[in-house]
C-alpha cells in the first residue's frame, strides 16, 4: 500500500460503525463463540499453513507501522511516535513463529516417548496502555503459532488503535486461509467485561500484561494464567565499567518511548568512585541533570502526588514537557532527566513511567548490589549492570534473580532490541515463564510408543 491508500484505509476505518468492523464484538459471548468456531477451523491447518498465516500478518502490518504508532501516541497520550515505530517493527520482525514449538524425544530399549506442544484453544489476552499494539501483535503471533484463537482486551486508553490492528490482522488471516474472526476484540473493556471474558467457560487460558488489578482477576479466574507483574528495573554501575558506554546504554533504555517500557531502567545505582565521571558522560547524551534541592522539589511536586503516587498526567510525557511543567528552565531538547537523590525518595521507590530517573550514590559494589536489590523490591522483573568484573556480573545476576538481566548493555537488549534473542512484550514475572513466546502459549503433551523407533 502507498501512503494515499493507507490514509484512505484509516479514514474509512475511523468513520465506520463498531458494528461493521471485522473482529470487533460488543458481547463477550459473541466474541468467544466466533473465536471458538474459527479455532475449530484453524486446528485443521498444518504447521506450514500456520506459518503462512503469521507471515501474512507481518506483511499486512509492516506498511502500517507509522500509522499505528501515530494513532497510539494520539490516543494514549504517552510516548513518542519514533520509538513506537521501533517497537512495532521489533514485534513484527523478531517475534518467533512455529519454529519456537520445540519437540522433545527420548528413546531406549522400551520404545520412544515424544513430547510436543499443542494449542490450548481460545485465549483471553489483556494488554496495557504503555505498549498496546506492540504487545497485541507480539502475543497474536505467538498465540497463533501455538495454534490458538484469541480474544484481545485492549486498555481503555488504546481501544481504537487496538481495534484497528485487530481488524488488519483479521484481513490478513481471511485472505490467507479463509478463516474469519480467529483474532477478535471487544467494543467495551471495562473490568466487569474483562472479568466476564476471563471466566467464560470456553476460554482456556488468560494472558495478562496489564496492571496488578487485572492480574488479580486473572489469577482468580480458575484458568491457566500467564501473568506479567509490576517491575521497578534498576541499573548498577561500578568503578570498573566503561562509563561512556554505560551512560549511552542507560539513556537509550531509560528514554525509549519516554520510559513507558516495563523493562526500561527506572533508577541508577552508581559506585561513588565512578559517579562524577559517569554523570559527565550522562550529560553528553542529552540528559538534564538535577543535583540541587530546589529543582528536585519542583520536579517532585509535579510528578508525585500528595499521597505518594505517580501523577498519571505526566506518564509517558517528554523530558522537556515535564521540566516546563516544573518551571525548570531548559533551552535544549533533552531525552532524560536524571536526579541525584537518596534511596528512599519516591523517584526511586515508584515505577515512574516517565523519563525521570534517580541516581543513587553508594560507597562500593557490595553496597550497590544490596541497594539495587532493595530498589527492585523483589518483583524479579528486570535489572542491568555495567561492570568489567566477571565475578561481579555473575554475583549480581544470582542476587537479583530477575526475569530479564542485562550485562553491559541497554535494558532493551533484554527483549531483542539491538541484541540477541527473540522478542517478548509479555514478561511473566508472577507465573514464572519470564519472556514469553509461542512455546509458552501451548500445552505440553506426552505420547509413548512401546518397543519401537530406536535404532541404537
Amino acid at each position: 500500500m502507498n501512503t494515499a491508500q493507507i490514509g484512505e484505509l484509516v479514514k474509512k476505518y475511523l468513520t465506520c460503525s463498531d458494528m461493521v468492523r471485522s473482529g470487533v464484538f460488543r458481547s463477550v459471548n459473541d466474541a468467544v463463540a466466533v473465536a471458538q468456531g474459527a479455532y475449530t477451523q484453524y486446528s485443521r491447518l498444518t504447521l506450514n499453513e500456520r506459518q503462512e498465516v503469521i507471515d501474512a500478518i507481518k506483511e499486512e502490518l509492516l506498511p502500517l507501522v507509522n500509522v499505528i504508532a501515530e494513532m497510539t501516541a494520539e490516543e494514549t497520550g504517552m510516548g513518542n511516535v519514533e520509538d513506537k515505530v521501533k517497537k512495532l517493527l521489533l514485534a513484527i520482525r523478531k517475534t518467533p513463529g512455529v519454529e519456537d514449538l520445540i519437540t522433545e524425544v527420548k528413546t531406549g530399549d522400551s520404545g520412544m516417548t515424544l513430547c510436543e506442544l499443542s494449542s490450548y484453544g481460545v485465549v483471553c489476552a489483556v494488554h496495557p496502555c504503555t505498549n498496546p499494539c506492540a504487545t497485541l501483535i507480539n502475543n497474536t503471533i505467538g498465540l497463533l503459532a501455538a495454534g490458538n484463537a484469541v480474544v484481545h482486551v485492549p486498555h481503555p486508553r488504546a481501544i481504537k488503535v487496538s481495534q484497528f490492528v485487530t481488524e488488519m490482522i483479521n484481513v490478513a488471516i481471511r485472505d490467507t486461509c479463509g478463516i474469519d474472526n480467529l483474532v477478535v476484540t471487544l467494543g467495551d473493556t471495562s473490568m466487569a467485561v474483562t472479568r466476564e471474558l476471563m471466566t467464560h467457560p470456553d476460554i482456556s487460558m488468560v494472558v495478562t500484561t496489564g496492571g496488578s488489578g487485572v492480574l488479580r482477576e486473572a489469577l482468580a479466574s480458575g484458568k491457566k494464567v500467564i501473568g506479567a507483574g509490576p517491575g521497578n528495573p534498576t541499573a548498577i554501575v561500578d568503578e570498573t565499567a566503561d562509563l561512556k558506554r554505560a551512560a549511552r546504554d542507560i539513556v537509550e533504555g531509560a528514554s525509549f518511548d519516554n520510559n513507558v517500557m516495563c523493562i526500561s531502567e527506572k533508577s541508577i545505582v552508581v559506585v561513588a568512585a565512578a559517579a562524577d565521571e559517569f554523570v559527565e558522560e550522562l550529560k553528553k547524551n542529552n540528559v538534564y541533570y538535577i543535583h540541587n534541592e530546589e529543582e528536585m522539589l519542583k520536579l517532585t511536586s509535579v510528578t508525585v502526588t500528595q499521597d505518594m503516587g505517580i501523577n498519571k498526567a505526566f506518564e509517558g510525557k517528554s523530558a522537556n514537557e515535564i521540566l516546563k511543567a516544573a518551571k525548570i528552565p531548559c533551552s535544549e531538547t533533552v531525552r532524560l532527566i536524571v536526579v541525584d537523590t537518596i534511596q528512599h525518595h519516591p523517584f526511586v521507590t515508584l515505577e515512574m513511567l516517565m523519563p525521570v530517573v534517580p541516581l543513587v550514590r553508594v560507597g562500593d559494589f557490595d553496597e550497590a548490589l544490596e541497594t539495587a536489590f532493595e530498589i527492585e523490591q523483589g518483583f524479579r522483573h528486570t535489572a542491568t549492570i555495567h561492570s568489567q568484573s566477571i565475578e561481579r556480573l555473575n554475583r549480581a545476576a544470582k542476587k537479583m534473580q530477575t526475569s530479564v538481566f542485562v550485562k553491559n548493555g541497554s535494558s532493551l537488549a533484554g527483549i531483542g532490541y539491538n541484541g540477541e534473542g527473540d522478542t517478548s512484550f509479555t514478561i511473566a514475572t508472577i507465573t514464572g515463564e519470564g519472556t514469553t513466546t509461542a512455546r509458552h502459549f501451548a500445552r505440553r503433551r506426552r505420547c509413548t510408543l512401546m518397543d519401537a523407533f530406536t535404532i541404537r
Side-chain angles (χ1 to χ4, degrees), residues 44-60:
R44 303 188 187 108
L45 300 189
T46 65
L47 284 178
N48 285 340
E49 287 170 329
R50 277 191 214 171
Q51 189 59 47
E52 287 174 5
V53 168
I54 291 166
D55 292 341
I57 291 170
K58 294 181 178 184
E59 186 176 344
E60 181 78 23

Side-chain angles (χ1 to χ4, degrees), residues 25 29-41 121-123 148-151 180-184 203:
F25 294 87
N29 282 331
D30 288 347
V32 176
V34 297
Q36 183 68 52
Y39 168 69
T40 301
Q41 298 177 66
V122 181
V123 177
N148 303 293
V150 57
V151 182
D180 206 1
N181 294 316
L182 186 64
V183 179
V184 300
I203 290 293

Side-chain angles (χ1 to χ4, degrees), residues 5-22:
Q5 289 174 319
I6 292 173
E8 285 299 314
L9 174 66
V10 175
K11 182 179 179 181
K12 179 181 178 181
Y13 174 81
L14 292 175
T15 56
C16 76
S17 166
D18 283 350
M19 298 299 290
V20 299
R21 291 176 179 170
S22 172

Side-chain angles (χ1 to χ4, degrees), residues 135-443:
T135 304
L136 189 155
I137 293 167
N138 176 246
N139 282 345
T140 294
I141 293 172
L143 287 164
L144 295 187
N148 303 293
V150 57
V151 182
H152 287 300
V153 184
H155 193 280
R157 287 176 64 176
I159 192 164
K160 289 182 180 178
V161 68
S162 299
Q163 289 175 347
F164 173 70
V165 174
T166 299
E167 180 163 5
M168 295 303 99
I169 289 172
N170 256 313
V171 168
I173 296 171
R174 184 173 60 244
D175 290 349
T176 303
C177 66
I179 301 174
D180 206 1
N181 294 316
L182 186 64
V183 179
V184 300
T185 189
L186 300 170
D188 177 18
T189 58
S190 66
M191 185 58 79
V193 170
T194 303
R195 186 182 301 115
E196 180 185 357
L197 178 61
M198 288 178 174
T199 56
H200 193 285
D202 290 331
I203 290 293
S204 301
M205 179 168 65
V206 178
V207 178
T208 175
T209 325
S212 56
V214 75
L215 176 60
R216 283 194 296 269
E217 293 289 344
L219 293 172
S221 69
K223 307 296 175 69
K224 162 69 177 178
V225 175
I226 292 180
N232 195 32
T234 187
I236 299 171
V237 181
D238 76 5
E239 74 279 9
T240 73
D242 180 338
L243 299 181
K244 182 177 181 179
R245 178 179 175 180
R248 181 197 67 205
D249 288 343
I250 290 172
V251 173
E252 178 187 41
S255 66
F256 190 84
D257 207 20
N258 295 340
N259 206 301
V260 299
M261 296 278 285
C262 60
I263 62 161
S264 289
E265 293 89 343
K266 300 294 190 291
S267 63
I268 306 167
V269 180
V270 59
V271 172
D276 289 341
E277 184 181 349
F278 177 67
V279 166
E280 292 305 311
E281 293 297 338
L282 287 173
K283 291 177 182 177
K284 295 174 184 177
N285 286 272
N286 300 109
V287 166
Y288 187 89
Y289 175 62
I290 292 177
H291 58 96
N292 64 78
E293 185 176 353
E294 181 184 359
E295 288 188 341
M296 183 184 71
L297 290 174
K298 285 182 177 180
L299 189 65
T300 304
S301 67
V302 299
T303 58
V304 179
T305 62
Q306 291 185 347
D307 59 352
M308 292 297 107
I310 303 163
N311 185 346
K312 292 185 179 297
F314 291 99
E315 284 183 343
K317 299 302 181 185
S318 70
N320 284 94
E321 288 177 278
I322 294 170
L323 289 172
K324 182 178 180 181
K327 295 182 171 54
I328 298 175
C330 179
S331 58
E332 300 176 351
T333 300
V334 294
R335 299 168 60 189
L336 186 68
I337 304 166
V338 174
V339 188
D340 210 318
T341 188
I342 59 173
Q343 179 183 342
H344 301 292
H345 191 280
F347 289 160
V348 180
T349 58
L350 297 173
E351 186 182 21
M352 295 294 287
L353 295 177
M354 60 186 79
V356 175
V357 173
L359 183 146
V360 178
R361 299 174 185 241
V362 294
D364 56 25
F365 178 76
D366 289 340
E367 186 182 354
L369 184 54
E370 288 301 322
T371 301
F373 182 75
E374 292 174 12
I375 290 172
E376 207 276 328
Q377 298 172 45
F379 294 136
R380 296 189 174 184
H381 196 290
T382 299
T384 65
I385 182 173
H386 296 266
S387 173
Q388 297 300 311
S389 166
I390 297 297
E391 185 273 333
R392 290 179 177 183
L393 294 174
N394 289 339
R395 183 148 55 104
K398 290 179 180 179
K399 174 76 174 180
M400 299 303 291
Q401 289 290 306
T402 49
S403 299
V404 175
F405 191 81
V406 179
K407 302 173 181 178
N408 293 321
S410 163
S411 59
L412 300 175
I415 57 168
Y417 183 83
N418 290 337
E420 297 301 325
D422 299 320
T423 290
S424 172
F425 282 90
T426 295
I427 300 170
T429 54
I430 298 299
T431 52
E433 292 84 0
T435 52
T436 54
T437 52
R439 70 183 67 181
H440 304 99
F441 300 141
R443 296 187 301 126

Side-chain angles (χ1 to χ4, degrees), residues 61-62 65-66 68-69 72-73 76 78-95 128-139 141 252-253 255-264 266 316 353 412 415-418 423-425:
L61 294 177
L62 274 173
V65 292
N66 288 292
I68 296 170
T72 305
T76 64
M78 303 172 72
N80 62 78
V81 172
E82 180 182 355
D83 288 341
K84 291 187 187 301
V85 167
K86 295 174 182 176
K87 283 196 291 189
L88 291 166
L89 290 174
L90 186 66
I92 294 169
R93 290 172 174 167
K94 292 198 69 175
T95 301
C129 61
T130 49
N131 308 298
C133 295
T135 304
L136 189 155
I137 293 167
N138 176 246
N139 282 345
I141 293 172
E252 178 187 41
S255 66
F256 190 84
D257 207 20
N258 295 340
N259 206 301
V260 299
M261 296 278 285
C262 60
I263 62 161
S264 289
K266 300 294 190 291
L353 295 177
L412 300 175
I415 57 168
Y417 183 83
N418 290 337
T423 290
S424 172
F425 282 90

